[in-house]
Amino acid sequence: MIDRRQARAWMLGGAVVLACNGGGGGNGTDDPTATAGPSTDGGTDTDATTVPTTSEGTGVDPTEGEPAECGAPLDPGPAPLRRLTHTQYNNTVRDLFPGVTLPPQTIAVDPKVNGFENNADVQTPSALLIEQYQRAALAVTEAAWATPEAFLPCAADGGGEPQQCGHTFLLDFGARAFRRPLTADEEAAFLGFFDQQLAETNFSVALQLTTQALLQSPAFLYFLEFGAAPVEGGTAVALSGHELASRLSYFLWDSMPDAQLFAAAAAGDLDTVEGLVAEATRMLEDGKARGALVNFHRQWFDFDGVALINPDADTYPTYTPDLRAAMRAELDRFVEATLFEGPGTFASLLTATETEVDATLAALYGVDPPPPGEWGPVSLDPAQRSGILTRAGFLARTAHAVHPSPVKRGVFVLARLLCVPPAPPPANVNTNPPDEGEPGQPKTNRERYAKHTAQADCASCHTTIDGVGFGFEHYDALGRWRDLDNGEPVDASGELIGTDIDGTFDGAIELSEKLATSTQAHDCVVSQVYRYALGRGTGAADLCSLDDLRAQFAEASGDMRALLLAVVASDAFRTRREAP
């Protein structure tokens, strides 16, 4: 039950959230590699190639028509009102209470657009979300006040000057929670609320209620950007130092600014490109950057789909939940090691043979296992494994319960790595996988899926999709290497159509190598990072910024960290479109 004082704290902070729409509604889209059914996990027995409409209409950068000349007045594109994601919320409350162990809070995950969870177009608040924020605020303060000595500037009861202590804490906490100093009106409202509760209850209750109100305020939950000075000769305004600090920290850390970043914002150090890049460079050396970049790749490559796989027990008797957990953990470890200990390039994500395994994964890959209960580095057979597209987690996530899915694998590559998601299937088309064929007549997985291209209404799309997906036929639905499929030699030949690397290839390793050298794939990476950094889709106003970033990414030989710094330095990141 919510008592009277809790309700007043909610009204002071959280009720206003209902007025803060995260971008005007939008549609309930999911990622462009979605299969039919309620999930995008690859565990359902359907083979739809549906690509839900995104805020941009197709999920790809619009290239129709000509953008304004790139030397024309600056238009940084839209800056919709964004909200903390569930990951950012939990990371932020963690950093607001250093030294305190907080339980993770349940905050709804917004619908995905282009695979990402932070798109403002679909961050529409709901009654359920408001209730989750209210419950989270209660749970966070309850857990934090179990050890108040970790963060209070006085004794847990307020000491000899409880009002002064409460004001000191709230002004500091509020500035960190809002990611900027409180306004005079905010100080009056929150300190006045605290004083009233202090007179009616006691120091601890008054401070917890006021903290709950701060945690439910739109200034905490949303990125409220008003900008500072207009940019000369354009339709943009420069973001303030504190607004830039927030954009920077939630892009590179998935959390709030630290004390040094706050200080840089206050001192005006972020007002120049050089100062902003200097802070970004420092932040990339921090451990929080590792978690944030892994989280970006989690969404980009849909790592979460691994948790939903359900291989057929009769076909795969060696499968266990522990193997599934190891598949999922390997993807995080691989990305982190490749970006921070390895070359750190997009190409290396597609071609590296080094990874980490536990005993269960070692058995699947056919390598020596580490000691029981441990993880260890290994080099996988380069004739069988090359980069993230040949890791067991990705392969199992893009398979059905019995057979692998060339459709899911092909759609993923086209949509996520080449930014050319296939069109949706015709209405009322049967999206179930091809049947097994007549009893006693062996059919390979490839032969079954050949039925797609034998039908005129399917061939137009599936020639392109399956041409990519067939390159993965050496891997079964568990991600194991196979030379035979149902007793027949595997045919893993494929063909890329409509890309800058068109032509035939043999197997996923050759496909990965072609993608690693593809200009189109590198350009797609820029689009993905750009969308994620700004929390929105792309439009004509973004084409000049994207062209510039693509040129810089190519000059940096596909270095992912260099791309992050280039995005930070871009006009689109440092400014916002002037309000009408």
Side-chain angles (χ1 to χ4, degrees):
M1 295 291 291
I2 301 174
D3 67 22
R4 175 176 58 87
R5 295 188 181 90
Q6 290 171 338
R8 289 164 68 184
W10 179 80
M11 291 175 66
L12 181 66
V16 187
V17 175
L18 288 169
C20 285
N21 188 309
N27 49 64
T29 60
D30 212 318
D31 68 291
T33 60
T35 55
S39 71
T40 63
D41 58 280
T44 57
D45 281 323
T46 57
D47 257 317
T49 59
T50 302
V51 183
T53 301
T54 71
S55 57
E56 304 97 81
T58 62
V60 298
D61 299 319
T63 55
E64 298 82 2
E66 293 294 329
E69 293 184 10
C70 291
L74 172 64
D75 179 1
L81 181 61
R82 293 186 292 150
R83 176 167 32 84
L84 296 175
T85 66
H86 67 115
T87 299
Q88 291 169 344
Y89 181 96
N90 279 296
N91 289 346
T92 302
V93 294
R94 173 204 66 197
D95 292 341
L96 281 170
F97 293 99
V100 175
T101 301
L102 298 175
Q105 300 303 309
T106 299
I107 305 296
V109 179
D110 291 299
K112 298 176 183 177
V113 178
N114 292 312
F116 297 122
E117 301 165 352
N118 68 339
N119 191 293
D121 287 344
V122 293
Q123 288 187 327
T124 306
S126 64
L128 173 61
L129 181 67
I130 303 307
E131 180 181 349
Q132 288 177 335
Y133 282 140
Q134 193 273 335
R135 292 183 181 277
L138 294 178
V140 166
T141 52
E142 180 180 356
W145 258 263
T147 54
E149 64 277 2
F151 55 88
L152 284 182
C154 61
D157 61 359
E161 297 287 343
Q163 184 183 47
Q164 179 180 338
C165 176
H167 285 199
T168 299
F169 170 78
L170 290 171
L171 290 176
D172 173 72
F173 182 87
R176 291 187 298 117
F178 289 4
R179 303 173 286 279
R180 55 162 176 78
L182 273 64
T183 66
D185 288 345
E186 289 167 341
E187 285 190 19
F190 288 104
L191 297 185
F193 179 74
F194 168 76
D195 291 344
Q196 181 180 357
Q197 298 307 309
L198 181 62
E200 296 178 3
T201 59
N202 59 51
F203 174 79
S204 179
V205 171
L207 201 55
Q208 288 185 61
L209 289 172
T210 312
T211 302
Q212 290 166 18
L214 288 164
L215 292 177
Q216 295 173 82
S217 169
F220 170 66
L221 297 171
Y222 285 83
F223 300 104
L224 304 179
E225 298 176 339
F226 300 97
V231 176
E232 185 176 353
T235 61
V237 293
L239 295 177
S240 71
H242 285 95
E243 290 165 352
L244 283 170
S246 287
R247 278 201 181 190
L248 194 58
S249 64
Y250 284 95
F251 176 38
L252 299 182
W253 281 353
D254 257 338
S255 188
M256 60 178 283
D258 64 357
Q260 185 169 333
L261 188 54
F262 275 133
D269 295 343
L270 305 184
D271 296 344
T272 65
V273 172
E274 294 77 13
L276 194 63
V277 171
E279 276 300 301
T281 302
R282 172 187 72 86
M283 295 168 67
L284 286 174
E285 299 302 320
D286 189 282
K288 286 186 284 191
R290 292 176 174 245
L293 286 187
V294 167
N295 188 41
F296 164 74
H297 286 80
R298 171 186 69 83
Q299 296 173 61
W300 181 18
F301 282 89
D302 189 27
F303 292 173
D304 292 345
V306 178
L308 301 175
I309 66 172
N310 188 30
D312 178 68
D314 292 335
T315 308
Y316 303 100
T318 61
Y319 169 76
T320 65
D322 287 343
L323 176 59
R324 179 179 61 199
M327 289 178 178
R328 174 66 186 84
E330 184 205 5
L331 295 174
D332 284 354
R333 289 170 176 266
F334 173 73
V335 167
E336 182 176 347
T338 303
L339 292 183
F340 289 93
E341 276 82 47
T345 62
F346 171 61
S348 63
L349 287 171
L350 295 174
T351 59
T353 58
E354 296 78 16
T355 191
E356 294 182 61
V357 299
D358 69 351
T360 57
L361 271 180
L364 186 149
Y365 288 139
V367 296
D368 293 334
E374 297 183 14
W375 285 75
V378 296
S379 292
L380 302 179
D381 184 348
Q384 297 183 1
R385 307 285 169 176
S386 175
I388 199 166
L389 297 182
T390 60
R391 295 296 181 265
F394 169 79
L395 296 163
R397 168 251 179 270
T398 51
H400 297 303
V402 175
H403 299 291
S405 172
V407 175
K408 293 185 179 185
R409 292 169 177 179
V411 168
F412 186 96
V413 171
L414 293 170
R416 298 292 180 92
L417 296 181
L418 292 168
C419 286
V420 285
N428 301 319
V429 70
N430 180 7
T431 59
N432 290 322
D435 59 36
E436 295 283 351
E438 299 177 8
Q441 183 179 6
K443 291 284 187 179
T444 65
N445 193 56
R446 184 182 185 116
E447 289 171 333
R448 291 168 58 236
Y449 275 88
K451 295 179 180 180
H452 283 156
T453 52
Q455 303 174 32
D457 58 344
C458 299
S460 59
C461 287
H462 278 283
T463 298
T464 300
I465 296 168
D466 297 3
V468 175
F470 284 146
F472 295 92
E473 284 302 292
H474 272 299
Y475 308 96
D476 65 16
L478 209 58
R480 300 178 304 187
W481 177 269
R482 62 183 184 178
D483 290 308
L484 299 177
D485 177 13
N486 203 18
E488 299 291 328
V490 165
D491 178 1
S493 60
E495 183 177 9
L496 286 155
I497 301 171
T499 73
D500 69 328
I501 47 173
D502 281 359
T504 60
F505 62 89
D506 187 8
I509 294 174
E510 190 172 330
L511 170 63
S512 295
E513 291 171 348
K514 290 173 75 72
L515 291 169
T517 63
S518 165
T519 298
Q520 183 176 340
H522 281 75
D523 288 351
C524 182
V525 175
V526 173
S527 294
Q528 303 287 26
V529 174
Y530 187 86
R531 292 166 177 159
Y532 183 77
L534 299 179
R536 61 171 175 82
T538 49
D542 298 298
L543 294 181
C544 293
S545 293
L546 287 168
D547 285 347
D548 183 53
L549 290 170
R550 288 164 178 163
Q552 293 184 62
F553 193 41
E555 186 176 350
S557 300
D559 187 288
M560 294 295 290
R561 297 171 72 182
L563 174 58
L564 301 179
L565 295 177
V567 170
V568 165
S570 69
D571 290 332
F573 190 88
R574 296 183 297 107
T575 65
R576 61 159 292 151
R577 183 179 288 171
E578 190 172 14

